Amino acid sequence: MDKITFLQIFSFIFFFFSIISANIDENIIKPSEKFFNFYGRYDFSDKNQIKFDYPGFAIEFSFIGSGFKILLDDGLNDFNVIIDKKLHKIIKTKKGTQIYIGANNLKKKIHNVLITKKTESFEKPSVFKGIILNTDSKILNPPCRPKYKIEFIGDSITVGYGNESRSIKCKDFKNYTNNYFSYASIASRELNAEASIIAISGKGVVRNYGEKSEKSAKPMPYYFNKTLLTSEKPFWNFKRWKPNIVVICLGTNDFSTEPKPSKELFIKEYRKLISTIRGKYGNIKIFIMGSPTLIEPLNTYLEEISKKERIKLITQPKTPENQLGCDWHPNVYAHQQIASILIKELKKYLNNI
């Protein structure tokens, strides 16, 4: 019997994995196909992959069958897998492109799936490359999109930072952060609205948390024109998606530490942000919301802005200590209370459009 050479073994292995790779590629339902709804800002420069990095970004689809897998290139974030409006599992990603089991052994019926970015990251965008259905499953047209559209502009409170913790002390806040249970996501679901969440922990209107100068180089308004927080380009195309409502919840970081911006500077920059929003969306309904963790001087300044801009200010009571999660941020229960106050005000407007 002839000896099997190293080259022959290598050739066989290469051929074997090439077949597997080809079969996987053939079975991938790619992001460019008509079967997905995407919620939030994303870069679609490459039609076979979606890049995104803001928390709460969501991918939605429907299928009939027992299960599916998800192709993600990440390594920094966790994802919620919501099936038929119930949290099915959480995916903790690994570095590089990986195939993750979304679900297996489901009842062979129609299922609606929502995959949401649970956490936030600052190093690079997440990349969605498609799904692979089980052999007994079939993709369907995506669910109908919600009736309304709301854009949220905020900081760590809007992110949902540390909201699943029962303690203010956390070894790893990422494990306890879940945007799906933030006030923004809770309110959107209750109002039958899709959400675009533009939120970054630590950002202020003028000054970011802990920075030495009174005015930061890149506060939250700097990111409003960007598609991705981790990349300077591409700029966001505001014609792609126009909200019915914009909710701004900023100011906590501006006044959390010294040096705090002056009243004049804060009001000037906040009004400039409002002007930028109107410049992009036209005659849009804007609500500004107070912080549940820092009341003064923020509410006083927001009241002045509210009067000058003729827009509604929604104040929030201070979150009690027994409702705080990581690093003094509202926990899930507190987010539900924040959302209920917000919902009451937004309903008044949405019911009349």
Side-chain angles (χ1 to χ4, degrees), residues 96-127:
T97 299
Q98 304 283 344
I99 299 174
Y100 301 94
I101 295 174
N104 251 337
N105 302 316
L106 298 175
K107 290 183 179 180
K108 293 180 183 178
K109 63 174 188 175
I110 294 174
H111 299 286
N112 293 327
V113 179
L114 190 70
I115 301 165
T116 75
K117 189 169 180 285
K118 175 180 179 284
T119 50
E120 67 176 332
S121 57
F122 309 97
E123 291 84 0
K124 65 174 186 176
S126 306
V127 184

Side-chain angles (χ1 to χ4, degrees), residues 64-218:
I64 185 168
S66 65
F68 63 93
K69 299 178 181 68
I70 310 161
L71 276 76
L72 291 168
D73 181 354
D74 199 311
L76 298 169
N77 290 283
D78 301 340
F79 290 81
N80 298 302
V81 179
I82 315 294
I83 300 178
D84 302 328
K85 297 185 178 182
K86 294 181 180 179
L87 179 60
H88 180 73
K89 70 183 298 184
I90 291 172
I91 293 174
K92 294 182 177 293
T93 62
K94 298 177 181 179
K95 188 177 180 180
T97 299
Q98 304 283 344
I99 299 174
Y100 301 94
I101 295 174
N104 251 337
N105 302 316
L106 298 175
K107 290 183 179 180
K108 293 180 183 178
K109 63 174 188 175
I110 294 174
H111 299 286
N112 293 327
V113 179
L114 190 70
I115 301 165
T116 75
K117 189 169 180 285
K118 175 180 179 284
T119 50
E120 67 176 332
S121 57
F122 309 97
E123 291 84 0
K124 65 174 186 176
S126 306
V127 184
F128 171 65
K129 297 187 175 183
I131 62 169
I132 302 170
L133 295 180
N134 290 1
T135 53
D136 67 350
S137 302
K138 179 183 177 182
I139 194 72
L140 303 172
N141 287 328
C144 293
R145 298 179 77 102
K147 183 177 181 180
Y148 303 111
K149 300 174 182 177
I150 305 174
E151 184 162 77
F152 294 89
I153 303 172
D155 50 33
S156 54
I157 296 171
T158 305
V159 168
Y161 179 106
N163 60 347
E164 292 189 318
S165 174
R166 295 183 179 181
S167 170
I168 59 173
K169 296 180 180 179
C170 303
K171 291 183 179 179
D172 184 1
F173 68 86
K174 175 185 169 183
N175 289 332
Y176 298 102
T177 296
N178 196 336
N179 183 267
Y180 188 75
F181 298 113
S182 71
Y183 78 85
S185 295
I186 294 168
S188 297
R189 290 193 294 274
E190 178 67 23
L191 293 166
N192 188 22
E194 55 185 86
S196 177
I197 297 173
I198 316 301
I200 308 173
S201 291
K203 297 298 181 182
V205 178
V206 178
R207 180 178 175 272
N208 299 331
Y209 180 84
E211 293 194 3
K212 295 180 180 180
S213 61
E214 183 186 11
K215 193 174 190 301
S216 297
K218 295 181 180 179

Side-chain angles (χ1 to χ4, degrees), residues 33-92:
E33 298 185 55
K34 65 179 182 179
F35 302 110
F36 300 100
N37 290 329
F38 299 110
Y39 302 109
R41 292 189 182 183
Y42 58 93
D43 177 10
F44 211 173
S45 301
D46 182 339
K47 298 299 181 183
N48 290 323
Q49 55 184 28
I50 293 280
K51 293 181 180 179
F52 56 94
D53 53 15
Y54 283 108
F57 179 84
I59 302 153
E60 185 180 44
F61 61 92
S62 293
F63 76 100
I64 185 168
S66 65
F68 63 93
K69 299 178 181 68
I70 310 161
L71 276 76
L72 291 168
D73 181 354
D74 199 311
L76 298 169
N77 290 283
D78 301 340
F79 290 81
N80 298 302
V81 179
I82 315 294
I83 300 178
D84 302 328
K85 297 185 178 182
K86 294 181 180 179
L87 179 60
H88 180 73
K89 70 183 298 184
I90 291 172
I91 293 174
K92 294 182 177 293

Side-chain angles (χ1 to χ4, degrees), residues 244-263:
N244 301 105
I245 291 173
V246 175
V247 177
I248 308 170
C249 182
L250 288 169
T252 303
N253 293 305
D254 295 85
F255 300 105
S256 292
T257 58
E258 297 289 349
K260 298 170 184 176
S262 67
K263 173 184 176 181

